[in-house]
Amino acid sequence: GAVVSQHPSWVICKSGTSVKIECRSLDFQATTMFWYRQFPKQSLMLMATSNEGSKATYEQGVEKDKFLINHASLTLSTLTVTSAHPEDSSFYICSAQSPPGTGGVDTQYFGPGTRLTVL
Amino acid sequence: AQSVTQLDSHVSVSEGTPVLLRCNYSSSYSPSLFWYVQHPNKGLQLLLKYTSAATLVKGINGFEAEFKKSETSFHLTKPSAHMSDAAEYFCLISSGSARQLTFGSGTQLTVLP
């Protein structure tokens, strides 16, 4: 149980285009999902907290107009990188917070990540 | 405020020998503590967690960790390392009303044949 998927697993795009990354909780409903960014050899950096049915909460320094987050349902959150540039190239990881009774409200289950390369 | 410090950025052990990955934490509240493992180009997999129940926590793949409040530590151990244990390990903390996760900087474990 508590499986989180991401699609696509990797994507290459041209500079100036937009890319959408999907995060799905496969066997549980997640009212809260998180989006992280990870640079090589570094820890994860929280970008934003995505709440179903409301606006995402962005961390300081993260451009909300560049990284659009939509949490349209209890099992799906999307991250859209708009007008991507080479400096946006990174490994993006989402997580979904488990509901009570399935592992505790503190436990986050992570997706496998999406490798974005912007040419 | 909360923080975690992973004391070693790299740990190298021989196959079959014990593993010790160190994590110290700081929190104004009673924390929940986690260890996750990340293999190259993969997401994070939960190894184990402490949430104010038993202080000695057993996880998957033979790993365990002990919560020591007096030492503010939550070190990860395994009696005998396996080649497949080679990966990046992250210690995480969640505490306070926001329950937001804070990541440690990670420890790269290398297992030598």
Side-chain angles (χ1 to χ4, degrees), chain A residues 36 38 42-44 46 59 91 93 103-104 106-112 115, chain B residues 32 34 36 38 41-44 46 49 51 90 92 94 99-101 103-105:
Chain A
Y36 297 86
Q38 186 179 33
Q42 294 188 25
S43 187
L44 280 69
L46 179 65
E59 295 301 298
F91 194 52
I93 301 176
D106 290 314
T107 305
Q108 290 187 24
Y109 295 94
F110 289 82
R115 172 75 58 192
Chain B
S32 296
F34 308 81
Y36 285 82
Q38 184 181 31
N41 296 309
K42 300 289 185 182
L44 274 69
L46 179 66
K49 66 175 182 177
T51 55
F90 292 98
L92 283 67
S94 172
R99 313 309 294 186
Q100 191 173 73
L101 279 181
F103 281 76
S105 54

PDB file of all heavy atoms in Angstrom, chain A residues 36 38 42-44 46 59 91 93 103-104 106-112 115, chain B residues 32 34 36 38 41-44 46 49 51 90 92 94 99-101 103-105:
ATOM      1  N   TYR A  36       9.128  18.598  -4.425  1.00  0.00           N
ATOM      2  CA  TYR A  36      10.511  18.850  -4.070  1.00  0.00           C
ATOM      3  C   TYR A  36      11.354  18.930  -5.332  1.00  0.00           C
ATOM      4  O   TYR A  36      11.032  18.377  -6.368  1.00  0.00           O
ATOM      5  CB  TYR A  36      11.067  17.719  -3.200  1.00  0.00           C
ATOM      6  CG  TYR A  36      10.393  17.528  -1.867  1.00  0.00           C
ATOM      7  CD1 TYR A  36       9.251  16.729  -1.745  1.00  0.00           C
ATOM      8  CD2 TYR A  36      10.904  18.121  -0.716  1.00  0.00           C
ATOM      9  CE1 TYR A  36       8.638  16.539  -0.528  1.00  0.00           C
ATOM     10  CE2 TYR A  36      10.302  17.928   0.522  1.00  0.00           C
ATOM     11  CZ  TYR A  36       9.171  17.133   0.602  1.00  0.00           C
ATOM     12  OH  TYR A  36       8.580  16.941   1.820  1.00  0.00           O
ATOM     13  N   GLN A  38      15.518  18.387  -6.419  1.00  0.00           N
ATOM     14  CA  GLN A  38      16.783  17.862  -5.938  1.00  0.00           C
ATOM     15  C   GLN A  38      17.872  18.070  -6.969  1.00  0.00           C
ATOM     16  O   GLN A  38      17.756  17.624  -8.110  1.00  0.00           O
ATOM     17  CB  GLN A  38      16.662  16.370  -5.608  1.00  0.00           C
ATOM     18  CG  GLN A  38      17.908  15.779  -4.963  1.00  0.00           C
ATOM     19  CD  GLN A  38      17.740  14.306  -4.635  1.00  0.00           C
ATOM     20  OE1 GLN A  38      17.063  13.576  -5.337  1.00  0.00           O
ATOM     21  NE2 GLN A  38      18.368  13.857  -3.558  1.00  0.00           N
ATOM     22  N   GLN A  42      22.751  16.477  -3.704  1.00  0.00           N
ATOM     23  CA  GLN A  42      22.190  17.320  -2.653  1.00  0.00           C
ATOM     24  C   GLN A  42      20.896  16.732  -2.101  1.00  0.00           C
ATOM     25  O   GLN A  42      20.313  15.806  -2.679  1.00  0.00           O
ATOM     26  CB  GLN A  42      21.936  18.737  -3.178  1.00  0.00           C
ATOM     27  CG  GLN A  42      23.202  19.481  -3.550  1.00  0.00           C
ATOM     28  CD  GLN A  42      22.918  20.934  -3.885  1.00  0.00           C
ATOM     29  OE1 GLN A  42      21.929  21.512  -3.432  1.00  0.00           O
ATOM     30  NE2 GLN A  42      23.783  21.540  -4.673  1.00  0.00           N
ATOM     31  N   SER A  43      20.463  17.272  -0.993  1.00  0.00           N
ATOM     32  CA  SER A  43      19.212  16.837  -0.388  1.00  0.00           C
ATOM     33  C   SER A  43      18.029  17.443  -1.140  1.00  0.00           C
ATOM     34  O   SER A  43      18.194  18.221  -2.076  1.00  0.00           O
ATOM     35  CB  SER A  43      19.191  17.254   1.077  1.00  0.00           C
ATOM     36  OG  SER A  43      18.070  16.716   1.728  1.00  0.00           O
ATOM     37  N   LEU A  44      16.844  17.044  -0.750  1.00  0.00           N
ATOM     38  CA  LEU A  44      15.644  17.568  -1.396  1.00  0.00           C
ATOM     39  C   LEU A  44      15.307  18.952  -0.860  1.00  0.00           C
ATOM     40  O   LEU A  44      15.430  19.222   0.331  1.00  0.00           O
ATOM     41  CB  LEU A  44      14.455  16.629  -1.152  1.00  0.00           C
ATOM     42  CG  LEU A  44      14.352  15.390  -2.024  1.00  0.00           C
ATOM     43  CD1 LEU A  44      15.441  14.386  -1.727  1.00  0.00           C
ATOM     44  CD2 LEU A  44      12.975  14.768  -1.893  1.00  0.00           C
ATOM     45  N   LEU A  46      12.177  21.543  -0.513  1.00  0.00           N
ATOM     46  CA  LEU A  46      10.731  21.679  -0.643  1.00  0.00           C
ATOM     47  C   LEU A  46      10.399  22.914  -1.465  1.00  0.00           C
ATOM     48  O   LEU A  46      10.869  24.008  -1.165  1.00  0.00           O
ATOM     49  CB  LEU A  46      10.085  21.780   0.741  1.00  0.00           C
ATOM     50  CG  LEU A  46       8.564  21.962   0.765  1.00  0.00           C
ATOM     51  CD1 LEU A  46       7.869  20.731   0.179  1.00  0.00           C
ATOM     52  CD2 LEU A  46       8.071  22.219   2.188  1.00  0.00           C
ATOM     53  N   GLU A  59       7.206  27.790  -1.012  1.00  0.00           N
ATOM     54  CA  GLU A  59       8.302  28.155  -0.135  1.00  0.00           C
ATOM     55  C   GLU A  59       8.949  29.453  -0.623  1.00  0.00           C
ATOM     56  O   GLU A  59       8.854  29.815  -1.806  1.00  0.00           O
ATOM     57  CB  GLU A  59       9.338  27.040  -0.091  1.00  0.00           C
ATOM     58  CG  GLU A  59       8.820  25.745   0.520  1.00  0.00           C
ATOM     59  CD  GLU A  59       8.335  25.948   1.948  1.00  0.00           C
ATOM     60  OE1 GLU A  59       9.155  26.329   2.807  1.00  0.00           O
ATOM     61  OE2 GLU A  59       7.130  25.707   2.197  1.00  0.00           O
ATOM     62  N   PHE A  91      15.901  17.219 -10.828  1.00  0.00           N
ATOM     63  CA  PHE A  91      15.128  16.031 -10.486  1.00  0.00           C
ATOM     64  C   PHE A  91      13.984  16.502  -9.594  1.00  0.00           C
ATOM     65  O   PHE A  91      14.234  17.080  -8.538  1.00  0.00           O
ATOM     66  CB  PHE A  91      16.027  15.023  -9.761  1.00  0.00           C
ATOM     67  CG  PHE A  91      15.472  13.639  -9.644  1.00  0.00           C
ATOM     68  CD1 PHE A  91      15.007  12.962 -10.754  1.00  0.00           C
ATOM     69  CD2 PHE A  91      15.437  12.982  -8.420  1.00  0.00           C
ATOM     70  CE1 PHE A  91      14.508  11.667 -10.663  1.00  0.00           C
ATOM     71  CE2 PHE A  91      14.936  11.687  -8.306  1.00  0.00           C
ATOM     72  CZ  PHE A  91      14.479  11.031  -9.429  1.00  0.00           C
ATOM     73  N   ILE A  93      10.663  15.639  -7.385  1.00  0.00           N
ATOM     74  CA  ILE A  93      10.061  14.529  -6.643  1.00  0.00           C
ATOM     75  C   ILE A  93       8.822  15.028  -5.916  1.00  0.00           C
ATOM     76  O   ILE A  93       8.845  16.099  -5.304  1.00  0.00           O
ATOM     77  CB  ILE A  93      11.045  13.939  -5.616  1.00  0.00           C
ATOM     78  CG1 ILE A  93      12.315  13.434  -6.304  1.00  0.00           C
ATOM     79  CG2 ILE A  93      10.400  12.810  -4.830  1.00  0.00           C
ATOM     80  CD1 ILE A  93      13.367  12.923  -5.328  1.00  0.00           C
ATOM     81  N   GLY A 103      -0.470   4.745   8.346  1.00  0.00           N
ATOM     82  CA  GLY A 103       0.963   4.904   8.592  1.00  0.00           C
ATOM     83  C   GLY A 103       1.229   6.142   9.417  1.00  0.00           C
ATOM     84  O   GLY A 103       2.346   6.487   9.687  1.00  0.00           O
ATOM     85  N   GLY A 104       0.132   6.812   9.766  1.00  0.00           N
ATOM     86  CA  GLY A 104       0.323   8.001  10.585  1.00  0.00           C
ATOM     87  C   GLY A 104       0.264   9.247   9.742  1.00  0.00           C
ATOM     88  O   GLY A 104       0.695   9.277   8.595  1.00  0.00           O
ATOM     89  N   ASP A 106       2.002  11.743   9.871  1.00  0.00           N
ATOM     90  CA  ASP A 106       3.287  12.351   9.573  1.00  0.00           C
ATOM     91  C   ASP A 106       3.985  11.738   8.375  1.00  0.00           C
ATOM     92  O   ASP A 106       4.911  12.317   7.855  1.00  0.00           O
ATOM     93  CB  ASP A 106       4.224  12.196  10.784  1.00  0.00           C
ATOM     94  CG  ASP A 106       3.793  13.049  11.935  1.00  0.00           C
ATOM     95  OD1 ASP A 106       3.489  14.229  11.706  1.00  0.00           O
ATOM     96  OD2 ASP A 106       3.767  12.527  13.058  1.00  0.00           O
ATOM     97  N   THR A 107       3.592  10.565   7.986  1.00  0.00           N
ATOM     98  CA  THR A 107       4.373   9.829   7.005  1.00  0.00           C
ATOM     99  C   THR A 107       4.100  10.319   5.600  1.00  0.00           C
ATOM    100  O   THR A 107       2.957  10.453   5.186  1.00  0.00           O
ATOM    101  CB  THR A 107       4.072   8.327   7.092  1.00  0.00           C
ATOM    102  OG1 THR A 107       4.294   7.884   8.419  1.00  0.00           O
ATOM    103  CG2 THR A 107       4.954   7.540   6.139  1.00  0.00           C
ATOM    104  N   GLN A 108       5.172  10.603   4.897  1.00  0.00           N
ATOM    105  CA  GLN A 108       5.061  10.971   3.495  1.00  0.00           C
ATOM    106  C   GLN A 108       5.606   9.835   2.639  1.00  0.00           C
ATOM    107  O   GLN A 108       6.631   9.246   2.953  1.00  0.00           O
ATOM    108  CB  GLN A 108       5.841  12.249   3.196  1.00  0.00           C
ATOM    109  CG  GLN A 108       5.224  13.487   3.805  1.00  0.00           C
ATOM    110  CD  GLN A 108       5.911  14.757   3.356  1.00  0.00           C
ATOM    111  OE1 GLN A 108       6.533  14.808   2.292  1.00  0.00           O
ATOM    112  NE2 GLN A 108       5.802  15.802   4.156  1.00  0.00           N
ATOM    113  N   TYR A 109       4.904   9.559   1.546  1.00  0.00           N
ATOM    114  CA  TYR A 109       5.322   8.539   0.604  1.00  0.00           C
ATOM    115  C   TYR A 109       5.730   9.233  -0.686  1.00  0.00           C
ATOM    116  O   TYR A 109       4.982  10.055  -1.219  1.00  0.00           O
ATOM    117  CB  TYR A 109       4.202   7.516   0.381  1.00  0.00           C
ATOM    118  CG  TYR A 109       3.900   6.741   1.635  1.00  0.00           C
ATOM    119  CD1 TYR A 109       2.891   7.156   2.506  1.00  0.00           C
ATOM    120  CD2 TYR A 109       4.638   5.624   1.977  1.00  0.00           C
ATOM    121  CE1 TYR A 109       2.634   6.470   3.687  1.00  0.00           C
ATOM    122  CE2 TYR A 109       4.381   4.918   3.145  1.00  0.00           C
ATOM    123  CZ  TYR A 109       3.389   5.349   3.995  1.00  0.00           C
ATOM    124  OH  TYR A 109       3.139   4.665   5.156  1.00  0.00           O
ATOM    125  N   PHE A 110       6.910   8.908  -1.143  1.00  0.00           N
ATOM    126  CA  PHE A 110       7.510   9.636  -2.246  1.00  0.00           C
ATOM    127  C   PHE A 110       7.315   8.926  -3.584  1.00  0.00           C
ATOM    128  O   PHE A 110       7.340   7.700  -3.671  1.00  0.00           O
ATOM    129  CB  PHE A 110       9.009   9.823  -1.999  1.00  0.00           C
ATOM    130  CG  PHE A 110       9.302  10.802  -0.900  1.00  0.00           C
ATOM    131  CD1 PHE A 110       9.257  10.418   0.424  1.00  0.00           C
ATOM    132  CD2 PHE A 110       9.609  12.125  -1.193  1.00  0.00           C
ATOM    133  CE1 PHE A 110       9.508  11.318   1.448  1.00  0.00           C
ATOM    134  CE2 PHE A 110       9.876  13.040  -0.176  1.00  0.00           C
ATOM    135  CZ  PHE A 110       9.823  12.630   1.140  1.00  0.00           C
ATOM    136  N   GLY A 111       7.157   9.747  -4.613  1.00  0.00           N
ATOM    137  CA  GLY A 111       7.145   9.227  -5.968  1.00  0.00           C
ATOM    138  C   GLY A 111       8.559   8.920  -6.421  1.00  0.00           C
ATOM    139  O   GLY A 111       9.533   9.274  -5.742  1.00  0.00           O
ATOM    140  N   PRO A 112       8.694   8.274  -7.576  1.00  0.00           N
ATOM    141  CA  PRO A 112      10.013   7.873  -8.064  1.00  0.00           C
ATOM    142  C   PRO A 112      10.811   9.015  -8.686  1.00  0.00           C
ATOM    143  O   PRO A 112      11.985   8.826  -9.018  1.00  0.00           O
ATOM    144  CB  PRO A 112       9.684   6.815  -9.115  1.00  0.00           C
ATOM    145  CG  PRO A 112       8.330   7.193  -9.591  1.00  0.00           C
ATOM    146  CD  PRO A 112       7.618   7.762  -8.411  1.00  0.00           C
ATOM    147  N   ARG A 115      13.017  13.312 -14.012  1.00  0.00           N
ATOM    148  CA  ARG A 115      14.239  14.004 -14.430  1.00  0.00           C
ATOM    149  C   ARG A 115      13.896  14.946 -15.574  1.00  0.00           C
ATOM    150  O   ARG A 115      13.492  14.505 -16.649  1.00  0.00           O
ATOM    151  CB  ARG A 115      15.292  12.980 -14.886  1.00  0.00           C
ATOM    152  CG  ARG A 115      16.530  13.586 -15.519  1.00  0.00           C
ATOM    153  CD  ARG A 115      17.433  14.211 -14.496  1.00  0.00           C
ATOM    154  NE  ARG A 115      17.866  13.263 -13.479  1.00  0.00           N
ATOM    155  CZ  ARG A 115      18.471  13.615 -12.345  1.00  0.00           C
ATOM    156  NH1 ARG A 115      18.700  14.898 -12.099  1.00  0.00           N
ATOM    157  NH2 ARG A 115      18.841  12.708 -11.475  1.00  0.00           N
TER     158      ARG A 115
ATOM    159  N   SER B  32       8.636  13.564  15.313  1.00  0.00           N
ATOM    160  CA  SER B  32       8.610  12.292  14.593  1.00  0.00           C
ATOM    161  C   SER B  32       9.882  12.263  13.749  1.00  0.00           C
ATOM    162  O   SER B  32      10.264  13.287  13.174  1.00  0.00           O
ATOM    163  CB  SER B  32       7.381  12.187  13.690  1.00  0.00           C
ATOM    164  OG  SER B  32       6.191  12.190  14.445  1.00  0.00           O
ATOM    165  N   PHE B  34      12.362  10.079  10.864  1.00  0.00           N
ATOM    166  CA  PHE B  34      12.287   9.113   9.774  1.00  0.00           C
ATOM    167  C   PHE B  34      13.670   8.886   9.168  1.00  0.00           C
ATOM    168  O   PHE B  34      14.509   9.790   9.158  1.00  0.00           O
ATOM    169  CB  PHE B  34      11.375   9.636   8.644  1.00  0.00           C
ATOM    170  CG  PHE B  34      10.016  10.086   9.096  1.00  0.00           C
ATOM    171  CD1 PHE B  34       9.825  11.345   9.648  1.00  0.00           C
ATOM    172  CD2 PHE B  34       8.916   9.269   8.939  1.00  0.00           C
ATOM    173  CE1 PHE B  34       8.570  11.778  10.054  1.00  0.00           C
ATOM    174  CE2 PHE B  34       7.650   9.690   9.338  1.00  0.00           C
ATOM    175  CZ  PHE B  34       7.481  10.932   9.899  1.00  0.00           C
ATOM    176  N   TYR B  36      14.915   7.569   5.361  1.00  0.00           N
ATOM    177  CA  TYR B  36      14.566   7.166   4.005  1.00  0.00           C
ATOM    178  C   TYR B  36      15.846   6.803   3.265  1.00  0.00           C
ATOM    179  O   TYR B  36      16.908   7.329   3.549  1.00  0.00           O
ATOM    180  CB  TYR B  36      13.882   8.312   3.243  1.00  0.00           C
ATOM    181  CG  TYR B  36      12.445   8.598   3.620  1.00  0.00           C
ATOM    182  CD1 TYR B  36      12.129   9.371   4.730  1.00  0.00           C
ATOM    183  CD2 TYR B  36      11.398   8.115   2.841  1.00  0.00           C
ATOM    184  CE1 TYR B  36      10.811   9.645   5.063  1.00  0.00           C
ATOM    185  CE2 TYR B  36      10.069   8.393   3.164  1.00  0.00           C
ATOM    186  CZ  TYR B  36       9.790   9.151   4.267  1.00  0.00           C
ATOM    187  OH  TYR B  36       8.479   9.436   4.589  1.00  0.00           O
ATOM    188  N   GLN B  38      17.492   6.450  -0.740  1.00  0.00           N
ATOM    189  CA  GLN B  38      17.308   6.823  -2.143  1.00  0.00           C
ATOM    190  C   GLN B  38      18.400   6.171  -2.985  1.00  0.00           C
ATOM    191  O   GLN B  38      19.590   6.461  -2.795  1.00  0.00           O
ATOM    192  CB  GLN B  38      17.350   8.336  -2.330  1.00  0.00           C
ATOM    193  CG  GLN B  38      17.070   8.773  -3.753  1.00  0.00           C
ATOM    194  CD  GLN B  38      17.145  10.272  -3.945  1.00  0.00           C
ATOM    195  OE1 GLN B  38      17.913  10.960  -3.273  1.00  0.00           O
ATOM    196  NE2 GLN B  38      16.347  10.807  -4.858  1.00  0.00           N
ATOM    197  N   ASN B  41      18.772   8.026  -9.070  1.00  0.00           N
ATOM    198  CA  ASN B  41      17.672   8.374  -9.976  1.00  0.00           C
ATOM    199  C   ASN B  41      16.344   7.748  -9.575  1.00  0.00           C
ATOM    200  O   ASN B  41      15.497   7.476 -10.430  1.00  0.00           O
ATOM    201  CB  ASN B  41      18.027   7.991 -11.416  1.00  0.00           C
ATOM    202  CG  ASN B  41      19.209   8.780 -11.918  1.00  0.00           C
ATOM    203  OD1 ASN B  41      19.221   9.998 -11.818  1.00  0.00           O
ATOM    204  ND2 ASN B  41      20.211   8.089 -12.424  1.00  0.00           N
ATOM    205  N   LYS B  42      16.174   7.536  -8.286  1.00  0.00           N
ATOM    206  CA  LYS B  42      14.920   6.982  -7.777  1.00  0.00           C
ATOM    207  C   LYS B  42      14.346   7.909  -6.716  1.00  0.00           C
ATOM    208  O   LYS B  42      15.022   8.807  -6.214  1.00  0.00           O
ATOM    209  CB  LYS B  42      15.168   5.599  -7.149  1.00  0.00           C
ATOM    210  CG  LYS B  42      15.748   4.568  -8.107  1.00  0.00           C
ATOM    211  CD  LYS B  42      14.737   4.134  -9.132  1.00  0.00           C
ATOM    212  CE  LYS B  42      15.300   3.014  -9.991  1.00  0.00           C
ATOM    213  NZ  LYS B  42      14.352   2.586 -11.063  1.00  0.00           N
ATOM    214  N   GLY B  43      13.088   7.678  -6.375  1.00  0.00           N
ATOM    215  CA  GLY B  43      12.487   8.417  -5.279  1.00  0.00           C
ATOM    216  C   GLY B  43      12.968   7.898  -3.942  1.00  0.00           C
ATOM    217  O   GLY B  43      13.864   7.052  -3.867  1.00  0.00           O
ATOM    218  N   LEU B  44      12.377   8.395  -2.878  1.00  0.00           N
ATOM    219  CA  LEU B  44      12.775   8.006  -1.528  1.00  0.00           C
ATOM    220  C   LEU B  44      11.869   6.895  -1.002  1.00  0.00           C
ATOM    221  O   LEU B  44      10.650   6.952  -1.144  1.00  0.00           O
ATOM    222  CB  LEU B  44      12.689   9.206  -0.580  1.00  0.00           C
ATOM    223  CG  LEU B  44      13.903  10.122  -0.525  1.00  0.00           C
ATOM    224  CD1 LEU B  44      14.069  10.883  -1.811  1.00  0.00           C
ATOM    225  CD2 LEU B  44      13.783  11.087   0.646  1.00  0.00           C
ATOM    226  N   LEU B  46      10.735   4.761   2.411  1.00  0.00           N
ATOM    227  CA  LEU B  46      10.729   4.805   3.863  1.00  0.00           C
ATOM    228  C   LEU B  46      11.354   3.546   4.442  1.00  0.00           C
ATOM    229  O   LEU B  46      10.927   2.425   4.132  1.00  0.00           O
ATOM    230  CB  LEU B  46       9.292   4.955   4.376  1.00  0.00           C
ATOM    231  CG  LEU B  46       9.090   4.987   5.884  1.00  0.00           C
ATOM    232  CD1 LEU B  46       9.733   6.241   6.484  1.00  0.00           C
ATOM    233  CD2 LEU B  46       7.608   4.943   6.229  1.00  0.00           C
ATOM    234  N   LYS B  49      10.398   4.656  10.993  1.00  0.00           N
ATOM    235  CA  LYS B  49      10.029   5.936  11.582  1.00  0.00           C
ATOM    236  C   LYS B  49       9.803   5.783  13.071  1.00  0.00           C
ATOM    237  O   LYS B  49       9.441   4.710  13.566  1.00  0.00           O
ATOM    238  CB  LYS B  49       8.773   6.495  10.921  1.00  0.00           C
ATOM    239  CG  LYS B  49       7.522   5.670  11.165  1.00  0.00           C
ATOM    240  CD  LYS B  49       6.305   6.362  10.589  1.00  0.00           C
ATOM    241  CE  LYS B  49       5.045   5.562  10.880  1.00  0.00           C
ATOM    242  NZ  LYS B  49       3.831   6.268  10.393  1.00  0.00           N
ATOM    243  N   THR B  51       7.601   7.609  16.131  1.00  0.00           N
ATOM    244  CA  THR B  51       6.525   8.566  16.401  1.00  0.00           C
ATOM    245  C   THR B  51       6.060   8.455  17.837  1.00  0.00           C
ATOM    246  O   THR B  51       4.869   8.377  18.111  1.00  0.00           O
ATOM    247  CB  THR B  51       5.333   8.354  15.450  1.00  0.00           C
ATOM    248  OG1 THR B  51       4.895   6.990  15.558  1.00  0.00           O
ATOM    249  CG2 THR B  51       5.696   8.654  14.019  1.00  0.00           C
ATOM    250  N   PHE B  90      18.680   9.481   4.023  1.00  0.00           N
ATOM    251  CA  PHE B  90      18.255  10.771   4.555  1.00  0.00           C
ATOM    252  C   PHE B  90      17.531  10.575   5.887  1.00  0.00           C
ATOM    253  O   PHE B  90      16.655   9.716   6.019  1.00  0.00           O
ATOM    254  CB  PHE B  90      17.307  11.487   3.589  1.00  0.00           C
ATOM    255  CG  PHE B  90      17.954  11.941   2.318  1.00  0.00           C
ATOM    256  CD1 PHE B  90      17.851  11.193   1.164  1.00  0.00           C
ATOM    257  CD2 PHE B  90      18.673  13.126   2.272  1.00  0.00           C
ATOM    258  CE1 PHE B  90      18.452  11.611  -0.016  1.00  0.00           C
ATOM    259  CE2 PHE B  90      19.270  13.556   1.102  1.00  0.00           C
ATOM    260  CZ  PHE B  90      19.162  12.797  -0.040  1.00  0.00           C
ATOM    261  N   LEU B  92      15.027  12.509   8.492  1.00  0.00           N
ATOM    262  CA  LEU B  92      14.045  13.589   8.417  1.00  0.00           C
ATOM    263  C   LEU B  92      13.364  13.770   9.766  1.00  0.00           C
ATOM    264  O   LEU B  92      13.218  12.832  10.539  1.00  0.00           O
ATOM    265  CB  LEU B  92      12.958  13.262   7.392  1.00  0.00           C
ATOM    266  CG  LEU B  92      13.235  13.401   5.906  1.00  0.00           C
ATOM    267  CD1 LEU B  92      14.249  12.392   5.425  1.00  0.00           C
ATOM    268  CD2 LEU B  92      11.957  13.264   5.111  1.00  0.00           C
ATOM    269  N   SER B  94       9.870  15.718  11.692  1.00  0.00           N
ATOM    270  CA  SER B  94       8.597  16.415  11.610  1.00  0.00           C
ATOM    271  C   SER B  94       8.159  16.722  13.032  1.00  0.00           C
ATOM    272  O   SER B  94       8.138  15.839  13.879  1.00  0.00           O
ATOM    273  CB  SER B  94       7.555  15.540  10.916  1.00  0.00           C
ATOM    274  OG  SER B  94       6.274  16.131  10.988  1.00  0.00           O
ATOM    275  N   ARG B  99       3.853  20.287  11.247  1.00  0.00           N
ATOM    276  CA  ARG B  99       4.268  18.928  10.850  1.00  0.00           C
ATOM    277  C   ARG B  99       4.982  18.912   9.512  1.00  0.00           C
ATOM    278  O   ARG B  99       4.926  17.957   8.762  1.00  0.00           O
ATOM    279  CB  ARG B  99       3.062  17.971  10.788  1.00  0.00           C
ATOM    280  CG  ARG B  99       2.140  18.037  11.962  1.00  0.00           C
ATOM    281  CD  ARG B  99       2.860  17.917  13.293  1.00  0.00           C
ATOM    282  NE  ARG B  99       3.477  16.621  13.521  1.00  0.00           N
ATOM    283  CZ  ARG B  99       4.058  16.274  14.656  1.00  0.00           C
ATOM    284  NH1 ARG B  99       4.132  17.136  15.653  1.00  0.00           N
ATOM    285  NH2 ARG B  99       4.594  15.074  14.796  1.00  0.00           N
ATOM    286  N   GLN B 100       5.694  19.995   9.197  1.00  0.00           N
ATOM    287  CA  GLN B 100       6.441  20.014   7.954  1.00  0.00           C
ATOM    288  C   GLN B 100       7.716  19.211   8.122  1.00  0.00           C
ATOM    289  O   GLN B 100       8.318  19.188   9.186  1.00  0.00           O
ATOM    290  CB  GLN B 100       6.795  21.456   7.583  1.00  0.00           C
ATOM    291  CG  GLN B 100       7.348  21.606   6.184  1.00  0.00           C
ATOM    292  CD  GLN B 100       7.523  23.064   5.822  1.00  0.00           C
ATOM    293  OE1 GLN B 100       8.420  23.731   6.322  1.00  0.00           O
ATOM    294  NE2 GLN B 100       6.659  23.576   4.968  1.00  0.00           N
ATOM    295  N   LEU B 101       8.130  18.544   7.050  1.00  0.00           N
ATOM    296  CA  LEU B 101       9.336  17.743   7.090  1.00  0.00           C
ATOM    297  C   LEU B 101      10.570  18.594   6.871  1.00  0.00           C
ATOM    298  O   LEU B 101      10.567  19.485   6.027  1.00  0.00           O
ATOM    299  CB  LEU B 101       9.297  16.671   6.000  1.00  0.00           C
ATOM    300  CG  LEU B 101       8.516  15.382   6.255  1.00  0.00           C
ATOM    301  CD1 LEU B 101       8.638  14.470   5.061  1.00  0.00           C
ATOM    302  CD2 LEU B 101       8.980  14.699   7.511  1.00  0.00           C
ATOM    303  N   PHE B 103      14.649  17.954   6.020  1.00  0.00           N
ATOM    304  CA  PHE B 103      15.580  16.927   5.585  1.00  0.00           C
ATOM    305  C   PHE B 103      16.970  17.167   6.152  1.00  0.00           C
ATOM    306  O   PHE B 103      17.421  18.314   6.275  1.00  0.00           O
ATOM    307  CB  PHE B 103      15.702  16.941   4.063  1.00  0.00           C
ATOM    308  CG  PHE B 103      14.569  16.269   3.352  1.00  0.00           C
ATOM    309  CD1 PHE B 103      13.342  16.889   3.240  1.00  0.00           C
ATOM    310  CD2 PHE B 103      14.731  15.019   2.792  1.00  0.00           C
ATOM    311  CE1 PHE B 103      12.290  16.284   2.577  1.00  0.00           C
ATOM    312  CE2 PHE B 103      13.690  14.398   2.125  1.00  0.00           C
ATOM    313  CZ  PHE B 103      12.468  15.034   2.019  1.00  0.00           C
ATOM    314  N   GLY B 104      17.655  16.064   6.447  1.00  0.00           N
ATOM    315  CA  GLY B 104      19.080  16.142   6.656  1.00  0.00           C
ATOM    316  C   GLY B 104      19.774  16.237   5.308  1.00  0.00           C
ATOM    317  O   GLY B 104      19.148  16.105   4.250  1.00  0.00           O
ATOM    318  N   SER B 105      21.067  16.457   5.354  1.00  0.00           N
ATOM    319  CA  SER B 105      21.821  16.670   4.116  1.00  0.00           C
ATOM    320  C   SER B 105      22.143  15.375   3.388  1.00  0.00           C
ATOM    321  O   SER B 105      22.620  15.401   2.255  1.00  0.00           O
ATOM    322  CB  SER B 105      23.114  17.434   4.408  1.00  0.00           C
ATOM    323  OG  SER B 105      23.849  16.755   5.413  1.00  0.00           O
TER     324      SER B 105
END
